[in-house]
């Protein structure tokens, strides 16, 4: 039997005129003789030489960019330059042609916007295949890191009955008839008659459930889809995204920050070690793009240097209070260049402020910690000062917030006061409060938006281009 190979394998195989079979899609067909074949295994194509005189004319005519073919032949040292090996084809099978008049992915530069409309075909471009191979490698790195460090992978529920997660707007899950829902005596929708007997939504975070598991398994992490019905059409928000949420018993905020930093650096080092080809390609893509930009907007470092910089340098840790001082005295603030001016302690930081701190002031990733209690979620641990909480956000150049986390409030009475002040009923959070009634302990965790990490590693400016089929307001095609 003739063995089936991938392009990646063949490029690393010594050519001895051995018979091989290769299946893939035609990237280009030159001079009726040279097929550049790609099968997704690597960015590179393998050149297949078909001497058209030996093949059916109709068949040769049907070979065009995008067609799926099988090539059988012998692997030889390449005659041409640019590749070490090529296949001298003696048999060619056309699986499916791609009509040049209608196939949208032609061998020329397409805009990312155009390709978003063709999300089912864009994976056949070099850019998207590089991004998605990196996304896959990063996922593996995420699991590897946690598995090697004593964490258990926990599947948090996707349908949630707790509406107190407080991380944004939720998508409702229901089987009630929208035209004729059962009503209560007061005329409100009677969710007791809904599938779960109560209101349910798609999860915005697996944190609360992860906390329960950390208080038994010690160290856990979730890595799954997360949903937010936020109508924010930005380059860093999706309605469906993947979040990584480690949660650790007996970790305080410092240990939490140490973990976040170590984790991010480790996964980036992993792709630097394993995905050079794709990173190099994306780096070149960015450099080409930059040529069209004004000098001031060009980034200071090529992609791979930016990644190495993060791996090799400590993140700068700064308290919210210090950050406010820096921002208050900053040039853009004094010259009223910020859309939201900073004059008082307590202000919520906008993305323009985060980016100023990271990109202009510190010029490295920054961890901000000890935020004012009233701009952060109820479950974050109150500091002795009574006004700040043990929160931390990791801020990245070009991205802004990539991680949000905290030490959790483990003291029952403090938590009860907090939720009373927010008018949340204790019965909404009964099981969460139970975790403070039975064997409570210091614990911490964070959430990292996976797509934002993929954006950083690939240098892609828009989050819609780092997930296969993005869900955003008014868009759930495919
Ligand atoms: P932001 O202020 O950027 O909206 P957030 O404060 O709402 O973020 P968290 O609730 O702390 O974010 O969620 C944890 C992480 O999940 C964020 O740091 C970010 O990386 C990611 N994230 C949050 N919302 C989205 C979204 N809509 N799309 C993609 N990633 C997101
Ligand atoms: Mn948000």
């Amino acid at each position: 039997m003739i063995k089936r190979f991938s392009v990646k394998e063949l490029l690393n195989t010594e050519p001895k005129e051995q018979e091989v079979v290769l299946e893939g899609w035609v990237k280009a067909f030159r001079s009726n003789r040279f097929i550049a074949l790609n099968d997704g295994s690597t960015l590179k194509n393998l050149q297949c030489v078909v001497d058209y005189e030996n093949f059916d004319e109709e068949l040769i005519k049907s070979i065009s960019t995008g067609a799926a073919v099988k090539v059988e032949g012998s692997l030889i040292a390449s005659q041409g330059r640019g590749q070490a090996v090529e296949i001298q084809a003696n048999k060619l099978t056309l699986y499916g042609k791609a009509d040049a008049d209608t196939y949208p992915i032609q061998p020329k530069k397409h805009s990312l916007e155009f390709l978003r409309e063709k999300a089912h075909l864009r994976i056949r471009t070099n850019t998207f295949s590089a991004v998605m191979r990196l996304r896959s490698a990063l996922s593996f790195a995420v699991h590897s890191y946690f598995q090697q460090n004593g964490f258990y992978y926990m599947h948090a529920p996707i349908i949630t009955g707790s509406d107190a997660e407080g991380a944004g707007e939720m998508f409702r899950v229901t089987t009630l008839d929208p035209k004729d829902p059962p009503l209560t005596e007061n005329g409100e929708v009677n969710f007791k008659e809904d599938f779960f007997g109560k209101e349910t939504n798609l999860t915005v975070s697996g944190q609360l459930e992860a906390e329960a598991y950390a208080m038994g398994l010690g160290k856990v992490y979730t890595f799954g889809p997360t949903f937010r019905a936020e109508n924010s059409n930005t380059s860093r928000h999706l309605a469906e995204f993947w979040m990584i949420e480690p949660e650790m018993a007996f970790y305080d905020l410092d240990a939490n920050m140490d973990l976040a930093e170590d984790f991010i650096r480790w996964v980036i080092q992993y792709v630097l070690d394993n995905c050079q080809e794709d990173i190099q390609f994306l780096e070149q893509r960015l450099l080409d793009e930059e040529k069209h930009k004004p000098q001031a907007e060009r980034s200071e470092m090529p992609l791979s240097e930016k990644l190495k910089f993060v791996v090799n340098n400590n993140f700068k840790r700064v308290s919210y209070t210090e950050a406010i001082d820096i921002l208050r005295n900053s040039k853009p603030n004094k010259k009223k260049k910020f859309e939201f001016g900073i004059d008082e302690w307590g202000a919520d930081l906008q993305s323009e402020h985060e980016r100023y701190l990271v990109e202009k002031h510190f010029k490295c990733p920054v961890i901000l910690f000890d935020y004012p209690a009233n701009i952060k979620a109820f479950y974050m641990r109150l500091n002795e000062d009574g006004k700040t909480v043990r929160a931390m956000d990791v801020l990245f150049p070009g991205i802004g917030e990539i991680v949000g986390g905290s030490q959790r409030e483990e003291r029952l009475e403090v938590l009860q006061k907090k939720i009373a002040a927010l008018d949340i009923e204790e019965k909404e959070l009964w099981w969460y409060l139970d975790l403070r009634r039975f064997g409570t302990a210091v614990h911490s965790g964070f959430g990292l938006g996976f797509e934002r990490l993929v954006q950083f590693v690939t240098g892609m400016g828009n989050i819609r281009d780092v997930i296969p089929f993005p869900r955003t307001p008014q868009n759930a095609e495919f």
Side-chain angles (χ1 to χ4, degrees), residues 51-82:
D51 293 322
Y52 56 88
E53 306 86 353
N54 306 336
F55 292 88
D56 176 54
E57 206 183 321
E58 281 307 303
L59 175 64
I60 292 292
K61 271 195 201 144
S62 310
I63 306 292
S64 62
T65 299
V69 299
K70 174 160 85 172
V71 177
E72 293 164 74
S74 49
L75 192 69
I76 57 173
S78 180
Q79 317 293 309
R81 299 202 305 158

Side-chain angles (χ1 to χ4, degrees), residues 332-400:
N333 197 51
K334 288 187 168 156
K335 292 190 171 168
K336 307 230 178 297
K337 286 275 166 62
F338 285 141
E339 189 182 339
F340 300 89
I342 297 277
D343 23 69
E344 271 176 67
W345 190 93
D348 202 354
L349 299 185
Q350 307 295 328
S351 134
E352 56 180 343
H353 309 127
E354 297 175 347
R355 294 187 65 165
Y356 173 82
L357 291 170
V358 174
E359 290 160 27
K360 296 281 178 316
H361 189 82
F362 291 111
K363 298 186 195 296
C364 73
V366 172
I367 310 185
L368 291 187
F369 61 92
D370 284 350
Y371 282 77
N374 56 5
I375 60 170
K376 286 290 180 185
F378 73 91
Y379 47 72
M380 300 188 177
R381 193 181 197 279
L382 194 62
N383 277 314
E384 303 306 317
D385 63 14
K387 56 178 196 171
T388 59
V389 287
R390 300 246 75 191
M392 62 112 169
D393 281 1
V394 180
L395 311 178
F396 258 47
I399 309 277

Side-chain angles (χ1 to χ4, degrees), residues 101-301:
D101 295 334
T102 49
Y103 181 56
I105 313 294
Q106 289 301 318
K108 62 164 198 169
K109 199 164 161 40
H110 295 292
S111 75
L112 295 173
E113 289 78 11
F114 170 83
L115 290 171
R116 253 170 246 153
E117 311 270 301
K118 309 276 183 261
H120 58 311
L121 296 172
R122 66 179 181 175
I123 192 57
R124 302 198 201 168
T125 64
N126 286 338
T127 298
F128 282 90
S129 69
V131 168
M132 295 306 161
R133 274 188 299 268
L134 274 164
R135 182 180 168 110
S136 169
L138 269 174
S139 306
F140 182 71
V142 167
H143 285 293
S144 303
Y145 178 86
F146 287 122
Q147 296 289 332
Q148 285 170 27
N149 286 285
F151 285 72
Y152 294 105
Y153 181 29
M154 177 221 171
H155 295 111
I158 288 173
I159 298 172
T160 174
S162 54
D163 59 1
E165 284 165 342
E169 296 295 308
M170 303 176 98
F171 290 101
R172 176 167 292 158
V173 174
T174 181
T175 53
L176 295 179
D177 180 356
K179 282 196 230 86
D180 183 27
L183 300 178
T184 63
E185 282 167 11
N186 312 331
E188 281 162 7
V189 175
N190 186 2
F191 288 102
K192 286 213 176 74
E193 288 189 34
D194 202 348
F195 189 91
F196 296 106
K198 63 181 300 195
E199 277 193 77
T200 49
N201 296 287
L202 294 178
T203 185
V204 293
S205 157
Q207 180 201 318
L208 305 192
E209 289 87 356
E211 281 187 54
Y213 264 57
M215 299 315 275
L217 285 178
K219 297 196 285 186
V220 299
Y221 69 104
T222 72
F223 184 3
T226 310
F227 306 87
R228 295 191 186 176
E230 34 193 15
N231 206 351
S232 48
N233 255 310
T234 77
S235 58
R236 343 171 263 121
H237 288 90
L238 291 164
E240 177 181 293
F241 64 101
W242 287 66
M243 184 139 71
I244 298 150
E245 295 182 277
E247 190 70 36
M248 302 74 63
F250 315 117
Y251 272 46
D252 64 7
L253 190 72
D254 287 321
N256 199 21
M257 292 194 277
D258 290 344
L259 177 76
E261 194 172 334
D262 189 55
F263 165 64
I264 294 174
R265 288 156 92 180
W266 194 90
V267 296
I268 293 179
Q269 183 65 56
Y270 179 88
V271 292
L272 280 171
D273 290 342
N274 292 279
C275 308
Q276 265 310 317
E277 182 177 276
D278 290 320
I279 292 172
Q280 290 305 324
F281 172 81
L282 292 167
E283 171 169 309
Q284 194 51 51
R285 181 188 163 275
L286 286 170
L287 291 172
D288 293 344
E289 209 174 56
E290 301 238 307
K291 285 186 198 141
H292 305 287
K293 285 190 190 162
Q295 193 77 37
E297 281 172 38
R298 294 187 193 168
S299 78
E300 285 157 27
M301 279 185 221

Side-chain angles (χ1 to χ4, degrees), residues 396-411:
F396 258 47
I399 309 277
E401 181 187 329
I402 193 163
V403 162
S406 65
Q407 183 173 327
R408 318 305 189 190
E409 184 55 76
E410 85 285 11
R411 298 163 297 185

